[in-house]
Amino acid sequence: MSPEYIIAAIVTIVGLTTPILLAGLGELVVEKSGVLNLGVEGMMLVGAISGFGVTVLTFSPWLGVLGAAAGGAVASMLFAVLVLQLNSNQVATGLALTIFGTGLSSLLGLSFTGRIIVPFLSVFPDALAKNPIGRLIFGYSPIVYFALIMVPAVYWFLKSTRAGLILRAVGENDHSAHSIGYSVVMVRYAAIAFGGAMAGIGGAYFSMVITPMWAEKMTAGRGWIALALVVFAGWRTGRLLAGAYFFGFLMWLELFAKANGFGTTLPFLQVIPSQFWAAMPYVMTIVALTIISARGTAGSNAPACLGRPFLPST
Amino acid sequence: MAQISRRTLIKGAGALATAAMIGKPALAADKIKVGFIFLGPIGDYGWTWAHNKGREAIDAALGDKVETIYVENVAEDASAIPVIRDLAQQGCKLIFTTSYGYMDQTIQVAGEFPDVKFEHCTGFKRADNVSTYNSKFHEGRAVLGTIAGKMSKSGTLGYLGSYKVPEVVLGVNAFALAAQKQNPAATVKLVLIDSWFDPPKEAAATETLINLGCDIVTTHTDSPGPLQILEQKGLFGFGQGADMSQFAPTAHLTAIEDIWGPYYVARAQAIVDGKWASADTWDGFKEGTVMIAPYNPAVPADVVALADGVQAGYKDGTYNIFTGPIYAQDGTLKVKEGEVMADADLATIDWFVKGVESAS
């Protein structure tokens, strides 16, 4: 394999990884606040059509990304009102959000079907991305850099800021946080909105960058992979980044194996069926879960209040 | 006129079950109802879009006697059974199930409703009230292969497919054989992505094929996503199921268009006349079920002439890409010199021809 080829493959892997990284980061913050939002797929779809629609109407991909974030966040608020205000079951409500988001995005997309936009690719001067190394560094959509910047930003926020500490406190022990005067509900609203915005931008990566068009259900289940990713990462930001790229690598490996990429380079790997690689993200998530549970709760980084409705006694 | 069903709001994802909402009850009870089960969204600009065009052709031709209803996004698993059954219970006299994966479900529901006629697309199981119909898409693939074989500089062609089903295997083989007629050294790299509609995966697979040296990639999945990737890379491809040139004005050399309208109208008319009978129909260029979209100006005149020659040959019966000698992937002779494969053998084909590179 030539260096040229490896760089081209990395570019493909970045494309496969970025949406699940964005959605996964958002979901990680949501779960850290003690809320399990299974509506990632729905929020991604709403973000995909919002980003695409705003770009079609304004001719500005930057506004499109903002629109995608807003769309995802608005969709997430529906979930937030139900689980925070009405204390509905988070699992059922999250699934409902996926179903609702799928339908809503189809409805919003009716008038945008069949239209195209200029893909939101690298904004660096072409000269920088001309040679392979330049392409490796400068050859991506701004959304890719945004995702990579958000990883340390979320890490820093959760670890080193007061707001991040409060958010984690709410997720670990909502009653204690409540008793010392923090508004559990408001913190969770903010976390859910952030998760929705990130899922929305992740969805927009499909409709604005990879395939600049709108098609119903175009995220094709990536929201579920993002959810698995958060568990795989053990709710740790750094591991989420590594996990996202690992999942992206496995998705690429499946296609590479199918295209007989091993035929000439690593023939001994040809005997492994491509379905094996396709199943790996899920297998690895189960393995990670098994390790987490085998270590007992001490080794788990799962927020203690994850999925539990907050019912203050007063 | 068109009785549009409520859009399907519920999707199956991962291991979740799919449910589907069925259209409104009829307003005009005297019209004959014809139902459609669609695999994807009608806005996919590919397979389902083309079937929906066929449904609209019934509305246009027989709108005063027939009304059509449809359900989109129906999964190819057991969850299709209640959806098909529901169409029958709503009083449909004729139901088209428009994908291979509805075969056993169609047969099962047809057994429960002997008075309802069923038409299953691309399958092979029939009954007294179940017909099958298909299109010789591979005739179109022979045209695309001819163009690709002539225009490819690397001689390495990409084929993005869904599943290893006879329709796709025929497409791959016709494409490869036609390309090799123009360039004997041409090879076809095949990726089957285990889905008919997954734009990000289709896009990534297309990138992978390009990275492995393919300069023309043809798609046998339903979204225009791959064409958009080829457009960005300055390479060429073909539309699938419908003219997709609006998505990739430069990269889109031409497309195979699925024209279901005439068949659907004829079968609905047969119900109106009370003359419907179970049959197996497999039409192609000759009957107008397969059509080739307008060529991109990038296709040189001599290549257009070759491509038109293939179409003309299919129409007058002088051309058949499955004429021997044909060798399988491992080099064994499958079809002897001068022999032509019979339709029955084509319909169950499960081997790839020499020059197709695939892994499992």
Side-chain angles (χ1 to χ4, degrees):
Chain A
M1 271 189 277
S2 67
E4 277 267 1
Y5 180 79
I6 292 168
I7 287 168
I10 291 172
V11 171
T12 301
I13 292 168
V14 170
L16 287 164
T17 302
T18 300
I20 56 171
L21 176 59
L22 281 163
L25 268 176
E27 180 67 13
L28 185 142
V29 171
V30 177
E31 294 191 11
K32 273 293 190 187
S33 80
V35 177
L36 179 66
N37 185 354
L38 295 181
V40 179
E41 180 81 358
M43 298 187 295
M44 287 180 97
L45 280 167
V46 173
I49 184 57
S50 306
F52 184 81
V54 170
T55 309
V56 167
L57 298 174
T58 64
F59 301 101
S60 166
W62 299 97
L63 288 177
V65 173
L66 283 178
V74 168
S76 74
M77 282 301 102
L78 190 74
F79 168 84
V81 169
L82 288 168
V83 300
L84 298 180
Q85 234 70 50
L86 305 173
N87 283 315
S88 67
N89 178 293
Q90 293 181 7
V91 171
T93 312
L95 292 174
L97 177 60
T98 287
I99 296 162
F100 176 76
T102 307
L104 179 67
S105 62
S106 298
L107 184 67
L108 293 172
L110 278 180
S111 51
F112 293 105
T113 304
R115 302 181 73 161
I116 53 168
I117 54 173
V118 179
F120 190 33
L121 299 176
S122 173
V123 291
F124 295 107
D126 281 348
L128 276 177
K130 220 163 197 171
N131 65 56
I133 301 295
R135 198 158 63 242
L136 189 61
I137 301 166
F138 298 108
Y140 308 102
S141 167
I143 297 176
V144 170
Y145 303 103
F146 171 74
L148 291 173
I149 291 166
M150 285 310 283
V151 175
V154 166
Y155 176 81
W156 172 79
F157 169 80
L158 288 175
K159 190 171 191 294
S160 309
T161 68
R162 188 179 162 79
L165 188 66
I166 295 168
L167 184 133
R168 283 192 290 144
V170 165
E172 292 299 335
N173 194 329
D174 45 11
H175 286 277
S176 299
H178 176 67
S179 65
I180 55 172
Y182 294 119
S183 171
V184 172
V185 168
M186 289 317 289
V187 168
R188 287 182 174 172
Y189 261 119
I192 292 170
F194 176 78
M198 293 291 278
I201 298 172
Y205 193 81
F206 293 118
S207 63
M208 294 177 60
V209 183
I210 300 179
T211 54
M213 60 165 185
W214 166 250
E216 286 178 36
K217 301 208 278 185
M218 68 185 302
T219 55
R222 296 308 183 283
W224 302 102
I225 296 195
L227 278 164
L229 181 60
V230 177
V231 178
F232 176 77
W235 293 270
R236 290 172 208 271
T237 322
R239 216 185 282 171
L240 187 94
L241 174 69
Y245 272 87
F246 179 57
F247 281 20
F249 172 73
L250 288 172
M251 289 188 243
W252 168 83
L253 201 59
E254 179 203 347
L255 298 169
F256 180 75
K258 283 179 170 170
N260 201 25
F262 291 132
T264 48
T265 49
L266 302 161
F268 60 95
L269 284 175
Q270 258 185 309
V271 295
I272 302 173
S274 57
Q275 287 81 355
F276 175 81
W277 308 115
M280 277 312 270
Y282 307 99
V283 174
M284 295 311 291
T285 303
I286 293 168
V287 170
L289 270 175
T290 312
I291 294 170
I292 287 170
S293 62
R295 277 201 208 149
T297 43
S300 166
N301 209 17
C305 294
L306 184 60
R308 290 209 324 237
F310 174 60
L311 301 161
S313 41
T314 48
Chain B
M1 297 307 282
Q3 182 77 52
I4 307 294
S5 77
R6 264 178 287 169
R7 302 186 76 76
T8 306
L9 293 177
I10 301 174
K11 69 161 287 191
L16 292 172
T18 299
M21 286 195 258
I22 313 294
K24 296 171 208 160
L27 297 172
D30 50 340
K31 286 188 186 176
I32 291 173
K33 276 200 252 182
V34 176
F36 286 85
I37 300 286
F38 290 147
L39 177 64
I42 57 167
D44 70 355
Y45 273 80
W47 178 259
T48 296
W49 187 83
H51 280 285
N52 191 50
K53 284 274 165 207
R55 182 189 66 80
E56 288 171 358
I58 296 183
D59 286 340
L62 303 168
D64 54 335
K65 301 188 202 77
V66 174
E67 66 166 315
T68 58
I69 53 178
Y70 68 88
V71 187
E72 52 185 342
N73 292 320
V74 179
E76 290 179 300
D77 54 29
S79 68
I81 294 172
V83 183
I84 302 169
R85 189 182 288 141
D86 201 86
L87 283 182
Q89 279 165 345
Q90 285 189 63
C92 288
K93 292 287 167 241
L94 178 64
I95 296 171
F96 292 92
T97 53
T98 63
S99 187
Y100 180 81
Y102 305 135
M103 181 156 66
D104 292 328
Q105 298 91 320
T106 304
I107 295 292
Q108 183 184 331
V109 179
E112 300 168 11
F113 295 89
D115 296 336
V116 178
K117 311 300 183 195
F118 294 82
E119 298 257 355
H120 178 237
C121 189
T122 70
F124 55 81
K125 290 188 184 170
R126 281 170 288 281
D128 285 345
N129 61 333
V130 182
S131 285
T132 52
Y133 65 103
N134 201 347
S135 170
K136 290 182 172 167
F137 308 107
H138 58 269
E139 297 184 354
R141 296 281 162 191
V143 177
L144 307 191
T146 303
I147 298 171
K150 198 78 181 164
M151 287 185 71
S152 169
K153 292 187 182 72
S154 67
T156 307
L157 308 171
Y159 198 108
L160 177 64
S162 52
Y163 302 94
K164 192 177 175 185
V165 294
E167 178 201 322
V168 173
V169 176
L170 281 176
V172 173
N173 288 346
F175 184 77
L177 290 171
Q180 285 159 3
K181 276 191 196 293
Q182 304 305 323
N183 174 5
T187 55
V188 174
K189 284 190 185 291
L190 173 68
V191 172
L192 301 175
I193 63 163
D194 298 322
S195 171
W196 282 107
F197 187 79
D198 186 336
K201 194 169 182 183
E202 291 170 53
T206 307
E207 284 181 6
T208 303
L209 285 167
I210 293 168
N211 294 345
L212 288 168
C214 303
D215 58 354
I216 294 183
V217 179
T218 188
T219 46
H220 208 141
T221 54
D222 294 343
S223 97
L227 278 167
Q228 294 189 305
I229 298 294
L230 292 161
E231 182 89 5
Q232 288 171 28
K233 307 263 180 191
L235 299 172
F236 295 116
F238 304 97
Q240 145 78 352
D243 189 329
M244 296 177 172
S245 54
Q246 59 185 314
F247 292 98
T250 319
H252 184 278
L253 291 177
T254 182
I256 300 175
E257 291 188 61
D258 306 344
I259 311 293
W260 300 109
Y263 180 77
Y264 286 173
V265 171
R267 300 303 276 177
Q269 183 69 52
I271 292 284
V272 172
D273 299 341
K275 288 178 180 162
W276 189 95
S278 176
D280 176 30
T281 308
W282 201 11
D283 292 343
F285 274 122
K286 199 173 170 188
E287 296 83 3
T289 306
V290 176
M291 277 179 68
I292 293 294
Y295 300 107
N296 191 302
V299 185
D302 60 324
V303 182
V304 168
L306 281 169
D308 281 343
V310 173
Q311 288 190 61
Y314 269 119
K315 281 174 189 158
D316 63 22
T318 56
Y319 184 97
N320 189 326
I321 193 64
F322 290 104
T323 306
I326 298 174
Y327 296 89
Q329 246 175 335
D330 60 5
T332 53
L333 182 67
K334 283 280 191 179
V335 183
K336 289 197 200 86
E337 173 106 44
E339 274 182 21
V340 178
M341 286 183 75
D343 277 2
D345 294 330
L346 293 178
T348 55
I349 194 166
D350 63 352
W351 49 271
F352 293 113
V353 299
K354 204 175 162 187
V356 175
E357 290 180 20
S358 64
S360 60

